[in-house]
Amino acid sequence: MQCSWKAVLLLALASIAIQYTAIRTFTAKTFWLCSIPNRLNCSPVLDVELVDRVRDENPSLVSNVSRKTHILILATTRSGSSFVGQLFNQHFDIFYLFEPLYHVQYALIRKASQGGGITDRRIVLGAGRDLLRSLYDCDLYFLENYIKPQPVNHTTDKLFRRGASKALCSPPVCEALGPVDIHMEEGNCIKKCGTLNLTLATESCKDHEHVAIKTVRVPEVSDLRALVEDPRLNLKVIQLVRDPRGILASRSETFRDTYRLWRIWRATGRKPYNLDTSQIVAVCEDYLNSVSTGLNRPLWLKGKYMLVRYEDLARNPMKKTEEIYSFLGISMDSSIERWIENNTRADNTSVKHKYGTLRNSAATAENWRLTLSYDIVEFIQNTCQEVLAQLGYKTVNSPQDLKNLSFTLVEERSFSPFF
Ligand SMILES: *[C@@H]1O[C@H](CO)[C@@H](O)[C@H](O)[C@H]1NC(C)=O
Ligand SMILES: *[C@@H]1O[C@H](CO)[C@@H](O)[C@H](O)[C@H]1NC(C)=O
Ligand SMILES: *[C@@H]1O[C@H](CO)[C@@H](O)[C@H](O)[C@H]1NC(C)=O
Ligand SMILES: *[C@@H]1O[C@H](CO)[C@@H](O)[C@H](O)[C@H]1NC(C)=O
Ligand SMILES: *[C@@H]1O[C@H](CO)[C@@H](O)[C@H](O)[C@H]1NC(C)=O
Ligand SMILES: *[C@@H]1O[C@H](CO)[C@@H](O)[C@H](O)[C@H]1NC(C)=O
């Protein structure tokens, strides 16, 4: 009987695949066989042994697959980060935390200003990096250093936006809500789940394949270099940007006190002499620094950085989400697709739209053109000229062009990640 080299190769490949699958299954099983209180002690040992054995036989195959991915959503306030966060929160294998750095800022800077002053953000940064490192390592106790009042017996009811994290509202952390209730309002979780047991939260984190954290409290991607290069982590940064003119319009509606003078400018047509422009200037500076860093493709960011424009996500949420998951090397599960469908339809009255930013998404992404006055737009265009060009946001030269929605100000650009 003839036996071609192709058949031999095929057989060899198949057997590797089977061995690999078997070992993966075995690994996963042993993980679950351990009872919860002991799991912390028993599973890593077995995992490491098995993974090492397989790695010796098939180095390229295992090393990549078996690693946890640490996802950081680097965003700014009102740039669509809640929506992007949900794209990870809804994933079965991802442990998601919504803005844990809030606690660092709150503990270190008493006067919590919306979005944070520039010096404030720098102070938060060093402590924030340490916290991120610990959280990616599923050490949730580390957060206790910053939560006020300090948690007792590793429990707290003061975790910021706990309800925004699916894992913290579902078993084993919270038994009060079944899988069916998980698409609930945040308040429901707070009401029904009671005090958060950080020991259980830590276990839940370890049970998940990946960890994702959203923050608006890291100014630019270079600030993350120490974490990106940390060999104990496998950090991937998704930087979410949005047209600063859109950010300003959205913040003026949401933070009515802080942005009061901007609304006075819009209403009266006269720029208040004491207008505080520092926050929007900071957005543009941070973007410029980050994007310049990213476009230079430094070695340390290779395969670790993806720039996502909110407007592209709004225009085609499914496609963009697929690209994001493909960059991460994680497969997208069907709950993500369903969630996107549920939350991006304009006319779907059957669901409550909490994440209104993407409701009727393509249409609302450029709605700021109807709400900001031309003077304000011109001011931002002058302030942010360079970064607008870099990100592919067109400027307008007249009030007519500003209000004429029949053409878009978002240029086609592909900011592909580099590997
Ligand atoms: C795994 O990663 C290594 C480098 O870290 C790479 O050379 C190899 O091709 C990867 N293997 C797979 C199957 O992706
Ligand atoms: C913390 O645990 C100890 C020992 O179980 C207990 O005596 C104490 O009352 C607990 N404290 C609080 C605030 O629950
Ligand atoms: C938190 O959960 C752990 C693990 O189940 C348990 O041992 C501990 O008693 C719980 N803590 C409190 C205060 O209930
Ligand atoms: C989508 O909406 C339907 C109808 O309200 C709901 O039953 C379902 O759980 C939602 N799915 C997701 C993934 O949010
Ligand atoms: C509303 O969402 C549900 C669940 O995704 C979907 O089945 C239904 O077709 C949608 N309705 C409309 C009018 O888009
Ligand atoms: C709006 O823009 C379109 C496309 O550039 C142009 O054809 C049209 O005349 C403009 N309308 C007004 C009112 O300026």
Side-chain angles (χ1 to χ4, degrees):
M1 187 181 160
Q2 278 207 343
C3 187
S4 76
W5 65 270
K6 274 183 189 163
V8 172
L9 188 67
L10 215 67
L11 253 168
L13 282 175
S15 98
I16 289 173
I18 290 165
Q19 275 181 34
Y20 176 64
T21 312
I23 286 163
R24 283 276 291 172
T25 313
F26 185 41
T27 311
K29 277 250 179 60
T30 55
F31 198 73
W32 289 107
L33 279 173
C34 303
S35 65
I36 285 177
N38 295 332
R39 194 187 299 146
L40 302 183
N41 303 328
C42 63
S43 74
V45 180
L46 282 174
D47 275 354
V48 167
E49 278 173 12
L50 278 165
V51 167
D52 279 347
R53 217 166 66 212
V54 182
R55 185 179 285 138
D56 288 342
E57 290 162 21
N58 282 295
S60 68
L61 200 57
V62 176
S63 55
N64 309 350
V65 190
S66 61
R67 278 194 87 184
K68 240 182 200 220
T69 304
H70 305 117
I71 304 155
L72 188 84
I73 303 152
L74 177 62
T76 44
T77 312
R78 305 309 295 174
S79 63
S81 59
S82 296
F83 182 86
V84 175
Q86 287 299 323
L87 300 177
F88 299 109
N89 192 28
Q90 299 300 323
H91 197 290
F92 214 73
D93 295 332
I94 297 178
F95 184 86
Y96 172 71
L97 290 174
F98 182 103
E99 201 62 63
L101 299 195
Y102 164 87
H103 291 289
V104 177
Q105 178 169 41
Y106 189 77
L108 298 183
I109 296 152
R110 284 312 168 137
K111 183 178 68 66
S113 52
Q114 200 53 253
I118 293 158
T119 40
D120 290 2
R121 295 184 313 160
R122 296 285 161 189
I123 296 168
V124 168
L125 199 57
R129 271 194 298 250
D130 286 346
L131 177 59
L132 286 173
R133 192 181 275 114
S134 303
L135 293 176
Y136 283 126
D137 197 30
C138 290
D139 177 7
L140 272 74
Y141 292 164
F142 199 84
L143 250 179
E144 295 177 5
N145 296 318
Y146 300 105
I147 297 176
K148 306 266 143 91
Q150 174 124 27
V152 181
N153 292 345
H154 300 307
T155 61
T156 181
D157 53 8
K158 288 282 182 280
L159 185 73
F160 181 62
R161 300 286 300 270
R162 176 225 180 139
S165 170
K166 192 167 123 181
L168 298 184
C169 301
S170 45
V173 181
C174 170
E175 303 286 351
L177 294 167
V180 188
D181 296 331
I182 274 165
H183 312 283
M184 47 166 192
E185 300 280 332
E186 274 190 55
N188 204 21
C189 169
I190 308 296
K191 231 183 300 161
K192 296 206 173 148
C193 293
T195 301
L196 174 65
N197 182 330
L198 288 165
T199 308
L200 290 173
T202 298
E203 283 167 14
S204 171
C205 177
K206 290 188 175 174
D207 280 354
H208 283 78
E209 197 83 26
H210 313 289
V211 181
I213 296 174
K214 184 219 90 159
T215 187
V216 297
R217 287 174 168 79
V218 172
E220 50 175 293
V221 70
S222 316
D223 294 321
L224 296 167
R225 180 163 179 173
L227 295 182
V228 172
E229 290 184 325
D230 189 329
R232 290 165 295 178
L233 298 181
N234 179 26
L235 190 69
K236 307 226 169 163
V237 180
I238 311 281
Q239 178 160 29
L240 178 68
V241 296
R242 180 181 184 183
D243 190 323
R245 294 166 294 186
I247 290 180
L248 178 66
S250 177
R251 287 185 182 179
S252 302
E253 290 309 315
T254 313
F255 310 123
R256 298 185 72 82
D257 282 346
T258 315
Y259 284 80
R260 190 174 53 90
L261 292 176
W262 288 95
R263 282 185 294 111
I264 289 175
W265 184 0
R266 190 179 61 200
T268 63
R270 239 178 290 151
K271 183 178 167 192
Y273 72 95
N274 54 348
L275 180 74
D276 177 9
T277 59
S278 65
Q279 297 191 359
I280 202 74
V281 167
V283 167
C284 291
E285 278 178 4
D286 291 344
Y287 278 1
L288 188 64
N289 291 336
S290 271
V291 175
S292 305
T293 302
L295 291 180
N296 273 334
R297 309 193 157 203
L299 202 58
W300 63 275
L301 273 185
K302 197 164 162 291
K304 301 272 187 187
Y305 178 72
M306 181 177 185
L307 184 72
V308 175
R309 289 190 305 186
Y310 164 78
E311 292 80 4
D312 293 327
L313 194 62
R315 207 180 277 167
N316 200 340
M318 202 67 85
K319 176 167 164 279
K320 206 70 207 170
T321 305
E322 279 163 6
E323 284 173 25
I324 292 172
Y325 271 96
S326 151
F327 158 69
L328 294 172
I330 299 173
S331 54
M332 200 169 129
D333 63 22
S334 59
S335 64
I336 311 276
E337 275 171 49
R338 259 180 297 136
W339 191 87
I340 291 173
E341 266 162 24
N342 269 5
N343 289 276
T344 56
R345 297 263 169 91
D347 48 6
N348 201 326
T349 47
S350 70
V351 213
K352 264 196 212 150
H353 295 282
K354 266 198 316 179
Y355 302 94
T357 41
L358 269 230
R359 208 185 320 158
N360 197 359
S361 44
T364 51
E366 288 195 61
N367 252 8
W368 59 267
R369 293 169 67 178
L370 302 177
T371 58
L372 290 185
S373 69
Y374 181 69
D375 284 353
I376 294 180
V377 168
E378 202 178 26
F379 174 82
I380 305 282
Q381 288 181 172
N382 289 333
T383 309
C384 303
Q385 201 168 17
E386 206 177 337
V387 78
L388 286 171
Q390 222 169 28
L391 289 172
Y393 297 128
K394 284 185 230 168
T395 54
V396 288
N397 298 312
S398 69
Q400 288 72 34
D401 285 352
L402 175 64
K403 306 295 174 197
N404 186 348
L405 292 185
S406 65
F407 65 90
T408 175
L409 297 183
V410 184
E411 284 172 18
E412 287 292 331
R413 290 280 177 92
S414 70
F415 295 95
S416 317
F418 60 103
F419 292 93

